[in-house]
Amino acid sequence: MKKNIAIIMGGYSSEFEISLLSGNVVYDTLDKKKYNLYRVHIFKDKWVFVNDQNEEFPIDKNDFSVLVDDTKVKFDCVFNAIHGTPGEDGYMQAYFELLDIPQTSCGMYQAALTFNKRDLLATLKPYGIKMAESYHLNLGDEIDENAIINKVGLPCFVKANKAGSSFGVSKVYKKEELKTAIEKSFKEDDEIIIEQFLDGVEVSVGVISYKGETLVLPITEIVSENDFFDYEAKYLGQSQEITPARISEDYAQKVRFQAKKIYESLGMKGFSRSEFIFKNDEPHLLEVNTVPGLTTESILPQQAAEAGISLQDLFGNAIEEALKHS
């Protein structure tokens, strides 16, 4: 019996377009001889199964099923391709956990924690993971520009705390620019994080559950053509992503060790991609993504290819791992 697999894509954040691209790559790549595949669009105003003729069939949220030609379809597993909320912050994970439907990303707690940069960094600090100095603000807090600069220095980065994909990020060089940057971040989130600028080599490290083992993928070096690795650099080709990274074996060993330690300390499963910058010869963690981009140009698939893992194998393994642990 072929398993019914729902590939969820879309989401409620500014990243929905990238998610639709990722989800469609997964749909086009997975072995249709092995699985019955269903593209499911998750939007605030509708949850629908979309067939190859682009007809839409509403999802019954009571049990995450769909009625197609008078036949009720239930799903054996969900492939999560939603970047941002509600696919990367724990909401969908919790929903599927309650319905007892296996899904390919990490658990609810891990998703919520990694999506909140502030809480993630606080949780990992006791494990000896190095990170940039940071300053936190909630919407409505008094903004003390001098206190911020005293803690993180200039230039610094102002970021939304719980938004993926470099939305609401600014690099600030002068005190006068802080207020505008803070306002921009508050448009994306009601919590922001202001971080010290680390001047060093930036790398991205994929870690996945692969055939029952934690596998660290080849490291990617990120060279942004913009001032930093922002949305345009990430998705509109304005960066060089070099896999394997042009770093020493000493650097590579250190960052592989840290990425694996983070994955295992947090009890992760599925895909993850951690971003680091080297400062004083040590990797400093920037963030962890648990639903990274899955298009052919995306970093994690590039890393898998370098490791000799095809896209079909990468995606198929994610489903098999999820089914095995259910």
Side-chain angles (χ1 to χ4, degrees):
M1 281 285 286
K2 286 206 290 188
K3 300 260 191 235
N4 292 335
I5 310 296
I7 302 163
I8 59 171
M9 58 188 93
Y12 305 165
S13 78
S14 319
E15 296 181 82
F16 76 92
E17 289 173 12
I18 304 296
S19 171
L20 292 174
L21 287 176
S22 287
N24 279 304
V25 169
V26 174
Y27 178 73
D28 293 338
T29 304
L30 278 167
D31 187 351
K32 293 182 175 63
K33 291 197 220 54
K34 196 170 179 184
Y35 307 112
N36 298 315
L37 302 175
Y38 295 80
R39 288 178 301 171
V40 176
H41 289 188
I42 304 277
F43 292 115
K44 271 193 175 142
D45 58 344
K46 60 180 181 184
W47 289 23
V48 289
F49 154 57
V50 182
N51 70 10
D52 287 341
Q53 289 71 47
N54 279 327
E55 296 170 304
E56 296 185 349
F57 301 82
I59 294 285
D60 182 346
K61 291 185 188 176
N62 293 303
D63 59 359
F64 197 69
S65 64
V66 62
L67 208 56
V68 185
D69 304 330
D70 297 328
T71 306
K72 182 171 171 139
V73 178
K74 297 194 85 170
F75 298 104
D76 299 295
C77 183
V78 173
F79 192 109
N80 181 7
I82 296 178
H83 314 310
T85 188
E88 202 168 3
D89 54 3
Y91 285 101
M92 296 307 289
Q93 289 84 348
Y95 170 72
F96 291 124
E97 213 165 289
L98 289 171
L99 292 176
D100 206 19
I101 301 173
Q103 53 88 31
T104 56
S105 54
C106 61
M108 168 198 76
Y109 170 72
Q110 288 81 0
L113 178 66
T114 49
F115 200 68
N116 186 316
K117 297 181 183 83
R118 178 165 78 186
D119 292 358
L120 172 70
L121 297 173
T123 304
L124 288 174
K125 214 163 200 166
Y127 290 95
I129 306 293
K130 293 182 168 59
M131 49 205 71
E133 279 291 345
S134 58
Y135 189 102
H136 308 127
L137 282 173
N138 294 334
L139 190 60
D141 282 357
E142 186 194 338
I143 297 164
D144 183 339
E145 292 164 347
N146 291 327
I148 294 168
I149 291 165
N150 285 341
K151 179 131 196 236
V152 300
L154 287 170
C156 63
F157 282 108
V158 180
K159 307 176 179 179
N161 188 42
K162 305 185 301 291
S165 264
S166 314
F167 282 104
V169 181
S170 308
K171 188 174 180 182
V172 171
Y173 290 90
K174 299 202 276 281
K175 181 177 165 181
E176 302 82 73
E177 299 166 354
L178 254 181
K179 202 158 173 278
T180 309
I182 287 167
E183 283 166 7
K184 179 181 169 185
S185 287
F186 276 136
K187 287 197 178 94
E188 290 288 334
D189 190 14
D190 57 3
E191 294 174 8
I192 66 172
I193 182 167
I194 303 169
E195 283 182 337
Q196 165 195 25
F197 166 62
L198 300 177
D199 192 9
V201 179
E202 182 167 351
V203 295
S204 185
V205 190
V207 184
I208 62 173
S209 311
Y210 187 71
K211 298 184 176 169
E213 302 286 326
T214 302
L215 177 66
V216 182
L217 295 170
I219 301 160
T220 300
E221 179 185 348
I222 293 162
V223 184
S224 177
E225 291 164 23
N226 297 357
D227 197 16
F228 60 95
F229 194 46
D230 58 6
Y231 182 85
E232 284 75 21
K234 203 175 270 191
Y235 292 120
L236 306 180
Q238 294 169 11
S239 69
Q240 279 180 288
E241 291 150 11
I242 301 158
T243 313
R246 303 165 301 180
I247 56 175
S248 67
E249 185 47 40
D250 175 47
Y251 271 30
Q253 251 175 335
K254 280 178 180 172
V255 80
R256 276 197 294 263
F257 176 78
Q258 296 286 20
K260 187 175 187 187
K261 185 178 184 179
I262 290 165
Y263 191 92
E264 292 182 337
S265 302
L266 295 177
M268 301 279 288
K269 7 185 255 289
F271 301 139
S272 84
R273 212 189 68 222
S274 301
E275 318 292 335
F276 297 88
I277 285 183
F278 281 92
K279 181 195 172 193
N280 302 332
D281 296 331
E282 293 295 334
H284 286 58
L285 178 68
L286 299 177
E287 62 177 11
V288 176
N289 301 287
T290 59
V291 187
L294 299 171
T295 66
T296 37
E297 296 80 42
S298 299
I299 293 173
L300 193 92
Q302 284 181 36
Q303 295 177 343
E306 181 66 26
I309 299 168
S310 70
L311 269 189
Q312 189 174 90
D313 187 13
L314 182 70
F315 300 155
N317 173 76
I319 290 168
E320 295 309 318
E321 289 282 304
L323 289 167
K324 191 169 73 185
H325 295 299
S326 62

